[in-house]
Amino acid sequence: MELQEAKDKFIHTWGTLATQWGINRTMSQIHALLLLSPQALNADQIMAELQISRGNVNMNLRDLMSWGLIFKQLLPGERKEYFVAEKDIWKVARQIAKERKRREIEPILGTMDDIKKELKGDTEEKKEVLRIIDEISHVTEFADSTMDSILKAEENWLLTNFLKLFKN
Amino acid sequence: MELQEAKDKFIHTWGTLATQWGINRTMSQIHALLLLSPQALNADQIMAELQISRGNVNMNLRDLMSWGLIFKQLLPGERKEYFVAEKDIWKVARQIAKERKRREIEPILGTMDDIKKELKGDTEEKKEVLRIIDEISHVTEFADSTMDSILKAEENWLLTNFLKLFKN
DNA sequence: TTGAATTTTCAAAATTTTCTGAAAATATTT
DNA sequence: AAATATTTTCAGAAAATTTTGAAAATTCAA
């Protein structure tokens, strides 16, 4: 397999997988393209490479920046804006986790709390609904904070080795 | 807030959040409805409650069963099929993690391996692409197996307390 | 069997999401 | 300040996904 072929396969796969996670296909493909590109790319290059419109490229580049996954790079003597991706995959994972937390975990916990606060009562059924809502908050918080500490401690051999005790 | 109001709010929120995760809104709402329902429900009841068509209910009930989140329940003397949700939220989380692993993690690792195997070479750029692909596999495997061990060991105070050391 | 109740299927319709491309806005150079 | 290059916006088009509902298949009882 030649380099270009491998890149294309990666970009294509990454786009397909993204849709399963509720992420826009084109956004993922642009991200993948930049991840694999040794140089920064401008909008025209991305348009040509992925065969998509200028508007589409522009919109998704800005989305990727808001996720903190790519950065603008101004090249000396160049009028156009260039973009580079964060290449450290651990940083990428940490950044995605952080954003998903802000955009998704917080709203879940917020709504559960709202309902919990407003739904007072001690009939059997109310208690049961409250129990489920409590458990969901609990599991969500656990998953969230655990992901935090793991991403934060990723290079920490103590945690890493300790976790191994619980594998399989 | 009354019981019905709280339930509706929960069901609605759950459906909205689901779409952000790439999960069908109706599927989530049916799941939420069954989670909160003390009795098993049949297709007609779900249709009435959520105001959706029979075909839609049927399709999503079968999806939820394939995820292992709900079960058929045959009531004595009843011709219709009834459905109940698994109510233990930890089991639900474990089941979702397990299914996502099978459906999403494995394909990622598979494709990365394919590319890795086929893309031999030692130009600088090939090496860089291989490095990125390796790192992605690495991070994915780490996240995957860590999630496994945590869900498996969820009630283990030792792990839980150890993890606390790494919070914040 | 036959017939009624129930579930499943799936083509077409509705809805939602994504994408395009040209016009408007902004930035830079002469 | 005018001309040129570049980026951004956004209404309408296209594509993808979800939903409907009626027909077909299945199940069960008489």
Side-chain angles (χ1 to χ4, degrees), chain A residues 26 30 42-61:
Chain A
T26 304
I30 294 177
N42 64 39
D44 291 283
Q45 293 171 313
I46 296 170
M47 285 166 68
E49 197 74 48
L50 302 179
Q51 303 279 358
I52 55 180
S53 73
R54 183 176 304 284
N56 199 1
V57 168
N58 186 270
M59 209 198 80
N60 284 298
L61 283 174

mmCIF file of all heavy atoms in Angstrom, chain A residues 26 30 42-61, chain C residues 18-22, chain D residues 7-12:
data_model
loop_
_atom_site.group_PDB
_atom_site.id
_atom_site.type_symbol
_atom_site.label_atom_id
_atom_site.label_comp_id
_atom_site.label_asym_id
_atom_site.label_seq_id
_atom_site.Cartn_x
_atom_site.Cartn_y
_atom_site.Cartn_z
ATOM 1 N N THR A 26 -17.626 15.169 7.685
ATOM 2 C CA THR A 26 -16.635 16.047 7.068
ATOM 3 C C THR A 26 -15.679 16.632 8.101
ATOM 4 O O THR A 26 -14.482 16.722 7.876
ATOM 5 C CB THR A 26 -17.326 17.200 6.318
ATOM 6 O OG1 THR A 26 -18.222 16.633 5.365
ATOM 7 C CG2 THR A 26 -16.325 18.052 5.605
ATOM 8 N N ILE A 30 -11.655 16.228 7.822
ATOM 9 C CA ILE A 30 -10.698 17.340 7.812
ATOM 10 C C ILE A 30 -9.691 17.152 8.943
ATOM 11 O O ILE A 30 -8.484 17.342 8.770
ATOM 12 C CB ILE A 30 -11.423 18.697 7.956
ATOM 13 C CG1 ILE A 30 -12.295 18.958 6.728
ATOM 14 C CG2 ILE A 30 -10.422 19.830 8.144
ATOM 15 C CD1 ILE A 30 -13.103 20.249 6.809
ATOM 16 N N ASN A 42 -4.148 25.050 3.762
ATOM 17 C CA ASN A 42 -5.132 26.130 3.687
ATOM 18 C C ASN A 42 -6.454 25.608 3.128
ATOM 19 O O ASN A 42 -6.553 24.451 2.708
ATOM 20 C CB ASN A 42 -4.583 27.299 2.854
ATOM 21 C CG ASN A 42 -4.340 26.895 1.414
ATOM 22 O OD1 ASN A 42 -5.114 26.149 0.816
ATOM 23 N ND2 ASN A 42 -3.249 27.396 0.850
ATOM 24 N N ALA A 43 -7.457 26.476 3.136
ATOM 25 C CA ALA A 43 -8.803 26.049 2.738
ATOM 26 C C ALA A 43 -8.831 25.451 1.332
ATOM 27 O O ALA A 43 -9.462 24.410 1.108
ATOM 28 C CB ALA A 43 -9.769 27.229 2.827
ATOM 29 N N ASP A 44 -8.117 26.072 0.401
ATOM 30 C CA ASP A 44 -8.139 25.555 -0.976
ATOM 31 C C ASP A 44 -7.568 24.152 -1.069
ATOM 32 O O ASP A 44 -8.079 23.313 -1.810
ATOM 33 C CB ASP A 44 -7.345 26.492 -1.894
ATOM 34 C CG ASP A 44 -8.048 27.823 -2.068
ATOM 35 O OD1 ASP A 44 -9.023 27.869 -2.827
ATOM 36 O OD2 ASP A 44 -7.647 28.792 -1.403
ATOM 37 N N GLN A 45 -6.514 23.920 -0.326
ATOM 38 C CA GLN A 45 -5.904 22.582 -0.360
ATOM 39 C C GLN A 45 -6.861 21.536 0.208
ATOM 40 O O GLN A 45 -6.974 20.425 -0.318
ATOM 41 C CB GLN A 45 -4.590 22.599 0.428
ATOM 42 C CG GLN A 45 -3.529 23.456 -0.233
ATOM 43 C CD GLN A 45 -2.290 23.653 0.639
ATOM 44 O OE1 GLN A 45 -2.397 23.962 1.828
ATOM 45 N NE2 GLN A 45 -1.118 23.470 0.046
ATOM 46 N N ILE A 46 -7.563 21.905 1.274
ATOM 47 C CA ILE A 46 -8.511 20.957 1.871
ATOM 48 C C ILE A 46 -9.680 20.710 0.925
ATOM 49 O O ILE A 46 -10.114 19.571 0.720
ATOM 50 C CB ILE A 46 -8.997 21.492 3.236
ATOM 51 C CG1 ILE A 46 -7.814 21.564 4.213
ATOM 52 C CG2 ILE A 46 -10.096 20.597 3.803
ATOM 53 C CD1 ILE A 46 -8.111 22.299 5.503
ATOM 54 N N MET A 47 -10.182 21.784 0.304
ATOM 55 C CA MET A 47 -11.250 21.638 -0.688
ATOM 56 C C MET A 47 -10.858 20.652 -1.781
ATOM 57 O O MET A 47 -11.638 19.766 -2.147
ATOM 58 C CB MET A 47 -11.537 22.979 -1.369
ATOM 59 C CG MET A 47 -12.291 23.968 -0.534
ATOM 60 S SD MET A 47 -12.229 25.628 -1.272
ATOM 61 C CE MET A 47 -13.203 25.378 -2.760
ATOM 62 N N ALA A 48 -9.636 20.829 -2.291
ATOM 63 C CA ALA A 48 -9.169 19.973 -3.395
ATOM 64 C C ALA A 48 -9.009 18.535 -2.925
ATOM 65 O O ALA A 48 -9.464 17.592 -3.585
ATOM 66 C CB ALA A 48 -7.847 20.514 -3.928
ATOM 67 N N GLU A 49 -8.395 18.386 -1.774
ATOM 68 C CA GLU A 49 -8.092 17.043 -1.269
ATOM 69 C C GLU A 49 -9.370 16.235 -0.992
ATOM 70 O O GLU A 49 -9.464 15.063 -1.349
ATOM 71 C CB GLU A 49 -7.279 17.186 0.022
ATOM 72 C CG GLU A 49 -6.553 15.937 0.463
ATOM 73 C CD GLU A 49 -5.336 15.674 -0.412
ATOM 74 O OE1 GLU A 49 -4.526 16.604 -0.659
ATOM 75 O OE2 GLU A 49 -5.206 14.524 -0.873
ATOM 76 N N LEU A 50 -10.354 16.868 -0.347
ATOM 77 C CA LEU A 50 -11.560 16.127 0.055
ATOM 78 C C LEU A 50 -12.738 16.361 -0.888
ATOM 79 O O LEU A 50 -13.825 15.799 -0.670
ATOM 80 C CB LEU A 50 -11.966 16.514 1.487
ATOM 81 C CG LEU A 50 -10.932 16.288 2.598
ATOM 82 C CD1 LEU A 50 -11.491 16.734 3.938
ATOM 83 C CD2 LEU A 50 -10.515 14.826 2.664
ATOM 84 N N GLN A 51 -12.529 17.179 -1.917
ATOM 85 C CA GLN A 51 -13.595 17.438 -2.908
ATOM 86 C C GLN A 51 -14.862 17.995 -2.257
ATOM 87 O O GLN A 51 -15.949 17.453 -2.456
ATOM 88 C CB GLN A 51 -13.954 16.144 -3.660
ATOM 89 C CG GLN A 51 -12.791 15.479 -4.352
ATOM 90 C CD GLN A 51 -12.486 16.140 -5.707
ATOM 91 O OE1 GLN A 51 -13.181 17.070 -6.128
ATOM 92 N NE2 GLN A 51 -11.436 15.685 -6.372
ATOM 93 N N ILE A 52 -14.691 19.028 -1.472
ATOM 94 C CA ILE A 52 -15.857 19.642 -0.844
ATOM 95 C C ILE A 52 -15.803 21.154 -1.017
ATOM 96 O O ILE A 52 -14.768 21.711 -1.385
ATOM 97 C CB ILE A 52 -15.940 19.288 0.655
ATOM 98 C CG1 ILE A 52 -14.649 19.663 1.373
ATOM 99 C CG2 ILE A 52 -16.253 17.813 0.829
ATOM 100 C CD1 ILE A 52 -14.660 19.345 2.843
ATOM 101 N N SER A 53 -16.936 21.796 -0.731
ATOM 102 C CA SER A 53 -17.062 23.227 -1.014
ATOM 103 C C SER A 53 -16.327 24.098 0.004
ATOM 104 O O SER A 53 -16.015 23.660 1.114
ATOM 105 C CB SER A 53 -18.532 23.611 -0.997
ATOM 106 O OG SER A 53 -19.010 23.622 0.326
ATOM 107 N N ARG A 54 -16.121 25.337 -0.391
ATOM 108 C CA ARG A 54 -15.438 26.285 0.492
ATOM 109 C C ARG A 54 -16.224 26.522 1.786
ATOM 110 O O ARG A 54 -15.648 26.558 2.875
ATOM 111 C CB ARG A 54 -15.237 27.610 -0.249
ATOM 112 C CG ARG A 54 -14.469 28.657 0.525
ATOM 113 C CD ARG A 54 -14.238 29.910 -0.319
ATOM 114 N NE ARG A 54 -13.554 29.591 -1.568
ATOM 115 C CZ ARG A 54 -12.239 29.316 -1.641
ATOM 116 N NH1 ARG A 54 -11.485 29.331 -0.561
ATOM 117 N NH2 ARG A 54 -11.695 29.031 -2.804
ATOM 118 N N GLY A 55 -17.533 26.675 1.630
ATOM 119 C CA GLY A 55 -18.357 26.931 2.816
ATOM 120 C C GLY A 55 -18.254 25.801 3.827
ATOM 121 O O GLY A 55 -18.142 26.032 5.031
ATOM 122 N N ASN A 56 -18.311 24.605 3.319
ATOM 123 C CA ASN A 56 -18.216 23.423 4.165
ATOM 124 C C ASN A 56 -16.881 23.391 4.906
ATOM 125 O O ASN A 56 -16.832 23.191 6.126
ATOM 126 C CB ASN A 56 -18.366 22.183 3.275
ATOM 127 C CG ASN A 56 -18.733 20.940 4.054
ATOM 128 O OD1 ASN A 56 -18.911 20.974 5.266
ATOM 129 N ND2 ASN A 56 -18.827 19.825 3.350
ATOM 130 N N VAL A 57 -15.803 23.622 4.162
ATOM 131 C CA VAL A 57 -14.474 23.638 4.776
ATOM 132 C C VAL A 57 -14.410 24.699 5.862
ATOM 133 O O VAL A 57 -14.011 24.433 6.993
ATOM 134 C CB VAL A 57 -13.376 23.895 3.724
ATOM 135 C CG1 VAL A 57 -12.043 24.203 4.406
ATOM 136 C CG2 VAL A 57 -13.240 22.699 2.803
ATOM 137 N N ASN A 58 -14.853 25.896 5.521
ATOM 138 C CA ASN A 58 -14.786 26.998 6.479
ATOM 139 C C ASN A 58 -15.534 26.678 7.770
ATOM 140 O O ASN A 58 -15.018 26.851 8.876
ATOM 141 C CB ASN A 58 -15.361 28.257 5.834
ATOM 142 C CG ASN A 58 -15.174 29.463 6.735
ATOM 143 O OD1 ASN A 58 -16.025 29.761 7.558
ATOM 144 N ND2 ASN A 58 -14.043 30.116 6.623
ATOM 145 N N MET A 59 -16.749 26.177 7.611
ATOM 146 C CA MET A 59 -17.567 25.893 8.785
ATOM 147 C C MET A 59 -16.911 24.847 9.689
ATOM 148 O O MET A 59 -16.845 25.005 10.910
ATOM 149 C CB MET A 59 -18.925 25.386 8.337
ATOM 150 C CG MET A 59 -20.030 25.704 9.303
ATOM 151 S SD MET A 59 -21.452 24.643 8.965
ATOM 152 C CE MET A 59 -20.954 23.135 9.781
ATOM 153 N N ASN A 60 -16.423 23.786 9.076
ATOM 154 C CA ASN A 60 -15.859 22.712 9.874
ATOM 155 C C ASN A 60 -14.502 23.060 10.471
ATOM 156 O O ASN A 60 -14.178 22.590 11.565
ATOM 157 C CB ASN A 60 -15.803 21.433 9.043
ATOM 158 C CG ASN A 60 -17.174 20.804 8.916
ATOM 159 O OD1 ASN A 60 -17.771 20.420 9.915
ATOM 160 N ND2 ASN A 60 -17.702 20.751 7.715
ATOM 161 N N LEU A 61 -13.743 23.912 9.774
ATOM 162 C CA LEU A 61 -12.486 24.365 10.371
ATOM 163 C C LEU A 61 -12.766 25.147 11.647
ATOM 164 O O LEU A 61 -12.092 24.965 12.664
ATOM 165 C CB LEU A 61 -11.703 25.243 9.389
ATOM 166 C CG LEU A 61 -10.953 24.512 8.264
ATOM 167 C CD1 LEU A 61 -10.364 25.524 7.291
ATOM 168 C CD2 LEU A 61 -9.855 23.611 8.834
ATOM 169 P P DT C 18 -25.134 16.922 10.813
ATOM 170 O OP1 DT C 18 -24.184 15.880 11.251
ATOM 171 O OP2 DT C 18 -25.236 18.227 11.497
ATOM 172 O "O5'" DT C 18 -24.883 17.196 9.270
ATOM 173 C "C5'" DT C 18 -24.921 16.101 8.368
ATOM 174 C "C4'" DT C 18 -24.700 16.633 6.976
ATOM 175 O "O4'" DT C 18 -25.809 17.455 6.571
ATOM 176 C "C3'" DT C 18 -23.443 17.484 6.812
ATOM 177 O "O3'" DT C 18 -22.701 16.871 5.786
ATOM 178 C "C2'" DT C 18 -23.985 18.881 6.480
ATOM 179 C "C1'" DT C 18 -25.319 18.553 5.821
ATOM 180 N N1 DT C 18 -26.407 19.568 5.857
ATOM 181 C C2 DT C 18 -27.027 19.901 4.669
ATOM 182 O O2 DT C 18 -26.718 19.429 3.602
ATOM 183 N N3 DT C 18 -28.047 20.818 4.790
ATOM 184 C C4 DT C 18 -28.508 21.411 5.954
ATOM 185 O O4 DT C 18 -29.427 22.212 5.919
ATOM 186 C C5 DT C 18 -27.812 21.016 7.158
ATOM 187 C C7 DT C 18 -28.227 21.595 8.466
ATOM 188 C C6 DT C 18 -26.812 20.128 7.054
ATOM 189 P P DC C 19 -21.348 17.430 5.220
ATOM 190 O OP1 DC C 19 -20.587 16.293 4.681
ATOM 191 O OP2 DC C 19 -20.776 18.346 6.229
ATOM 192 O "O5'" DC C 19 -21.831 18.311 3.995
ATOM 193 C "C5'" DC C 19 -22.488 17.650 2.916
ATOM 194 C "C4'" DC C 19 -22.761 18.674 1.838
ATOM 195 O "O4'" DC C 19 -23.769 19.567 2.317
ATOM 196 C "C3'" DC C 19 -21.546 19.521 1.468
ATOM 197 O "O3'" DC C 19 -21.263 19.250 0.107
ATOM 198 C "C2'" DC C 19 -21.976 20.960 1.767
ATOM 199 C "C1'" DC C 19 -23.492 20.866 1.833
ATOM 200 N N1 DC C 19 -24.220 21.777 2.776
ATOM 201 C C2 DC C 19 -25.281 22.553 2.300
ATOM 202 O O2 DC C 19 -25.574 22.499 1.108
ATOM 203 N N3 DC C 19 -25.969 23.340 3.177
ATOM 204 C C4 DC C 19 -25.639 23.362 4.457
ATOM 205 N N4 DC C 19 -26.355 24.149 5.279
ATOM 206 C C5 DC C 19 -24.565 22.578 4.970
ATOM 207 C C6 DC C 19 -23.890 21.814 4.106
ATOM 208 P P DT C 20 -20.142 20.029 -0.678
ATOM 209 O OP1 DT C 20 -19.635 19.122 -1.719
ATOM 210 O OP2 DT C 20 -19.233 20.643 0.310
ATOM 211 O "O5'" DT C 20 -20.977 21.180 -1.380
ATOM 212 C "C5'" DT C 20 -22.092 20.813 -2.179
ATOM 213 C "C4'" DT C 20 -22.727 22.055 -2.766
ATOM 214 O "O4'" DT C 20 -23.367 22.792 -1.698
ATOM 215 C "C3'" DT C 20 -21.734 23.011 -3.440
ATOM 216 O "O3'" DT C 20 -22.186 23.208 -4.767
ATOM 217 C "C2'" DT C 20 -21.797 24.295 -2.588
ATOM 218 C "C1'" DT C 20 -23.134 24.169 -1.893
ATOM 219 N N1 DT C 20 -23.272 24.742 -0.525
ATOM 220 C C2 DT C 20 -24.317 25.600 -0.262
ATOM 221 O O2 DT C 20 -25.119 25.961 -1.110
ATOM 222 N N3 DT C 20 -24.399 26.046 1.033
ATOM 223 C C4 DT C 20 -23.557 25.708 2.083
ATOM 224 O O4 DT C 20 -23.737 26.163 3.204
ATOM 225 C C5 DT C 20 -22.481 24.806 1.747
ATOM 226 C C7 DT C 20 -21.517 24.384 2.808
ATOM 227 C C6 DT C 20 -22.384 24.365 0.475
ATOM 228 P P DG C 21 -21.231 23.732 -5.917
ATOM 229 O OP1 DG C 21 -21.706 23.148 -7.180
ATOM 230 O OP2 DG C 21 -19.833 23.575 -5.473
ATOM 231 O "O5'" DG C 21 -21.573 25.287 -5.937
ATOM 232 C "C5'" DG C 21 -22.938 25.688 -6.025
ATOM 233 C "C4'" DG C 21 -23.023 27.176 -5.772
ATOM 234 O "O4'" DG C 21 -23.035 27.437 -4.342
ATOM 235 C "C3'" DG C 21 -21.840 27.986 -6.325
ATOM 236 O "O3'" DG C 21 -22.341 29.236 -6.740
ATOM 237 C "C2'" DG C 21 -20.942 28.155 -5.106
ATOM 238 C "C1'" DG C 21 -22.003 28.367 -4.032
ATOM 239 N N9 DG C 21 -21.588 28.127 -2.669
ATOM 240 C C8 DG C 21 -20.460 27.458 -2.223
ATOM 241 N N7 DG C 21 -20.374 27.415 -0.918
ATOM 242 C C5 DG C 21 -21.502 28.095 -0.473
ATOM 243 C C6 DG C 21 -21.950 28.370 0.848
ATOM 244 O O6 DG C 21 -21.420 28.051 1.910
ATOM 245 N N1 DG C 21 -23.142 29.084 0.844
ATOM 246 C C2 DG C 21 -23.820 29.486 -0.277
ATOM 247 N N2 DG C 21 -24.952 30.168 -0.079
ATOM 248 N N3 DG C 21 -23.418 29.227 -1.527
ATOM 249 C C4 DG C 21 -22.264 28.532 -1.537
ATOM 250 P P DA C 22 -21.776 29.952 -8.042
ATOM 251 O OP1 DA C 22 -22.092 29.116 -9.212
ATOM 252 O OP2 DA C 22 -20.385 30.354 -7.755
ATOM 253 O "O5'" DA C 22 -22.676 31.257 -8.111
ATOM 254 C "C5'" DA C 22 -23.993 31.262 -7.519
ATOM 255 C "C4'" DA C 22 -24.066 32.378 -6.501
ATOM 256 O "O4'" DA C 22 -23.502 31.954 -5.230
ATOM 257 C "C3'" DA C 22 -23.272 33.632 -6.894
ATOM 258 O "O3'" DA C 22 -24.012 34.753 -6.440
ATOM 259 C "C2'" DA C 22 -21.986 33.487 -6.091
ATOM 260 C "C1'" DA C 22 -22.580 32.933 -4.790
ATOM 261 N N9 DA C 22 -21.645 32.317 -3.866
ATOM 262 C C8 DA C 22 -20.485 31.640 -4.140
ATOM 263 N N7 DA C 22 -19.851 31.196 -3.064
ATOM 264 C C5 DA C 22 -20.664 31.614 -2.023
ATOM 265 C C6 DA C 22 -20.553 31.462 -0.622
ATOM 266 N N6 DA C 22 -19.540 30.816 -0.032
ATOM 267 N N1 DA C 22 -21.525 32.004 0.127
ATOM 268 C C2 DA C 22 -22.535 32.649 -0.473
ATOM 269 N N3 DA C 22 -22.747 32.853 -1.775
ATOM 270 C C4 DA C 22 -21.765 32.302 -2.497
ATOM 271 P P DT D 7 -8.273 32.604 3.552
ATOM 272 O OP1 DT D 7 -7.422 32.156 4.661
ATOM 273 O OP2 DT D 7 -8.691 31.671 2.483
ATOM 274 O "O5'" DT D 7 -9.588 33.268 4.164
ATOM 275 C "C5'" DT D 7 -9.449 34.256 5.185
ATOM 276 C "C4'" DT D 7 -10.823 34.639 5.663
ATOM 277 O "O4'" DT D 7 -11.607 35.132 4.550
ATOM 278 C "C3'" DT D 7 -11.624 33.484 6.265
ATOM 279 O "O3'" DT D 7 -12.090 33.962 7.516
ATOM 280 C "C2'" DT D 7 -12.749 33.231 5.267
ATOM 281 C "C1'" DT D 7 -12.912 34.594 4.612
ATOM 282 N N1 DT D 7 -13.424 34.635 3.216
ATOM 283 C C2 DT D 7 -14.533 35.416 2.948
ATOM 284 O O2 DT D 7 -15.132 36.046 3.801
ATOM 285 N N3 DT D 7 -14.928 35.436 1.626
ATOM 286 C C4 DT D 7 -14.330 34.777 0.582
ATOM 287 O O4 DT D 7 -14.764 34.878 -0.563
ATOM 288 C C5 DT D 7 -13.179 33.976 0.928
ATOM 289 C C7 DT D 7 -12.462 33.223 -0.146
ATOM 290 C C6 DT D 7 -12.784 33.945 2.213
ATOM 291 P P DT D 8 -12.960 33.015 8.490
ATOM 292 O OP1 DT D 8 -12.688 33.427 9.870
ATOM 293 O OP2 DT D 8 -12.800 31.610 8.054
ATOM 294 O "O5'" DT D 8 -14.439 33.477 8.145
ATOM 295 C "C5'" DT D 8 -14.799 34.834 8.372
ATOM 296 C "C4'" DT D 8 -16.244 35.032 7.952
ATOM 297 O "O4'" DT D 8 -16.341 34.899 6.525
ATOM 298 C "C3'" DT D 8 -17.218 34.016 8.545
ATOM 299 O "O3'" DT D 8 -18.165 34.779 9.267
ATOM 300 C "C2'" DT D 8 -17.812 33.290 7.350
ATOM 301 C "C1'" DT D 8 -17.570 34.271 6.207
ATOM 302 N N1 DT D 8 -17.389 33.713 4.834
ATOM 303 C C2 DT D 8 -18.208 34.164 3.820
ATOM 304 O O2 DT D 8 -19.098 34.981 3.981
ATOM 305 N N3 DT D 8 -17.941 33.630 2.580
ATOM 306 C C4 DT D 8 -16.955 32.711 2.265
ATOM 307 O O4 DT D 8 -16.810 32.322 1.119
ATOM 308 C C5 DT D 8 -16.143 32.282 3.374
ATOM 309 C C7 DT D 8 -15.051 31.266 3.145
ATOM 310 C C6 DT D 8 -16.388 32.793 4.591
ATOM 311 P P DT D 9 -19.361 34.062 10.085
ATOM 312 O OP1 DT D 9 -19.621 34.891 11.274
ATOM 313 O OP2 DT D 9 -19.064 32.624 10.194
ATOM 314 O "O5'" DT D 9 -20.606 34.243 9.111
ATOM 315 C "C5'" DT D 9 -20.826 35.515 8.519
ATOM 316 C "C4'" DT D 9 -21.952 35.391 7.506
ATOM 317 O "O4'" DT D 9 -21.453 34.766 6.301
ATOM 318 C "C3'" DT D 9 -23.131 34.532 7.970
ATOM 319 O "O3'" DT D 9 -24.298 35.308 7.744
ATOM 320 C "C2'" DT D 9 -23.081 33.297 7.087
ATOM 321 C "C1'" DT D 9 -22.416 33.835 5.833
ATOM 322 N N1 DT D 9 -21.642 32.872 4.983
ATOM 323 C C2 DT D 9 -21.835 32.906 3.622
ATOM 324 O O2 DT D 9 -22.608 33.660 3.075
ATOM 325 N N3 DT D 9 -21.047 32.020 2.909
ATOM 326 C C4 DT D 9 -20.126 31.136 3.416
ATOM 327 O O4 DT D 9 -19.487 30.404 2.674
ATOM 328 C C5 DT D 9 -19.980 31.153 4.865
ATOM 329 C C7 DT D 9 -19.014 30.220 5.512
ATOM 330 C C6 DT D 9 -20.735 32.005 5.572
ATOM 331 P P DC D 10 -25.650 35.058 8.551
ATOM 332 O OP1 DC D 10 -26.168 36.382 8.933
ATOM 333 O OP2 DC D 10 -25.412 33.999 9.570
ATOM 334 O "O5'" DC D 10 -26.600 34.446 7.427
ATOM 335 C "C5'" DC D 10 -26.605 34.987 6.096
ATOM 336 C "C4'" DC D 10 -27.265 33.981 5.175
ATOM 337 O "O4'" DC D 10 -26.257 33.125 4.576
ATOM 338 C "C3'" DC D 10 -28.232 33.021 5.890
ATOM 339 O "O3'" DC D 10 -29.321 32.787 5.027
ATOM 340 C "C2'" DC D 10 -27.417 31.754 6.057
ATOM 341 C "C1'" DC D 10 -26.643 31.774 4.748
ATOM 342 N N1 DC D 10 -25.420 30.921 4.711
ATOM 343 C C2 DC D 10 -24.865 30.611 3.473
ATOM 344 O O2 DC D 10 -25.403 31.047 2.455
ATOM 345 N N3 DC D 10 -23.760 29.832 3.437
ATOM 346 C C4 DC D 10 -23.210 29.389 4.563
ATOM 347 N N4 DC D 10 -22.114 28.640 4.462
ATOM 348 C C5 DC D 10 -23.769 29.699 5.845
ATOM 349 C C6 DC D 10 -24.857 30.462 5.871
ATOM 350 P P DA D 11 -30.821 33.129 5.536
ATOM 351 O OP1 DA D 11 -30.894 34.544 5.941
ATOM 352 O OP2 DA D 11 -31.193 32.056 6.492
ATOM 353 O "O5'" DA D 11 -31.662 32.946 4.203
ATOM 354 C "C5'" DA D 11 -31.312 33.707 3.034
ATOM 355 C "C4'" DA D 11 -31.466 32.832 1.803
ATOM 356 O "O4'" DA D 11 -30.329 31.939 1.713
ATOM 357 C "C3'" DA D 11 -32.709 31.949 1.801
ATOM 358 O "O3'" DA D 11 -33.210 31.897 0.471
ATOM 359 C "C2'" DA D 11 -32.192 30.592 2.275
ATOM 360 C "C1'" DA D 11 -30.761 30.581 1.725
ATOM 361 N N9 DA D 11 -29.790 29.824 2.530
ATOM 362 C C8 DA D 11 -29.762 29.672 3.894
ATOM 363 N N7 DA D 11 -28.754 28.946 4.335
ATOM 364 C C5 DA D 11 -28.067 28.614 3.183
ATOM 365 C C6 DA D 11 -26.891 27.848 2.968
ATOM 366 N N6 DA D 11 -26.183 27.288 3.943
ATOM 367 N N1 DA D 11 -26.467 27.697 1.696
ATOM 368 C C2 DA D 11 -27.168 28.270 0.710
ATOM 369 N N3 DA D 11 -28.293 29.011 0.785
ATOM 370 C C4 DA D 11 -28.688 29.141 2.068
ATOM 371 P P DG D 12 -34.507 31.121 0.080
ATOM 372 O OP1 DG D 12 -35.244 31.945 -0.906
ATOM 373 O OP2 DG D 12 -35.153 30.624 1.310
ATOM 374 O "O5'" DG D 12 -33.914 29.872 -0.691
ATOM 375 C "C5'" DG D 12 -33.174 30.085 -1.894
ATOM 376 C "C4'" DG D 12 -32.511 28.782 -2.243
ATOM 377 O "O4'" DG D 12 -31.654 28.378 -1.154
ATOM 378 C "C3'" DG D 12 -33.481 27.624 -2.484
ATOM 379 O "O3'" DG D 12 -33.116 27.046 -3.738
ATOM 380 C "C2'" DG D 12 -33.252 26.692 -1.286
ATOM 381 C "C1'" DG D 12 -31.798 26.982 -0.951
ATOM 382 N N9 DG D 12 -31.340 26.684 0.409
ATOM 383 C C8 DG D 12 -31.937 27.022 1.599
ATOM 384 N N7 DG D 12 -31.259 26.618 2.647
ATOM 385 C C5 DG D 12 -30.154 25.972 2.109
ATOM 386 C C6 DG D 12 -29.059 25.323 2.752
ATOM 387 O O6 DG D 12 -28.837 25.197 3.961
ATOM 388 N N1 DG D 12 -28.150 24.789 1.830
ATOM 389 C C2 DG D 12 -28.291 24.878 0.470
ATOM 390 N N2 DG D 12 -27.334 24.310 -0.264
ATOM 391 N N3 DG D 12 -29.293 25.478 -0.145
ATOM 392 C C4 DG D 12 -30.189 26.003 0.731
#
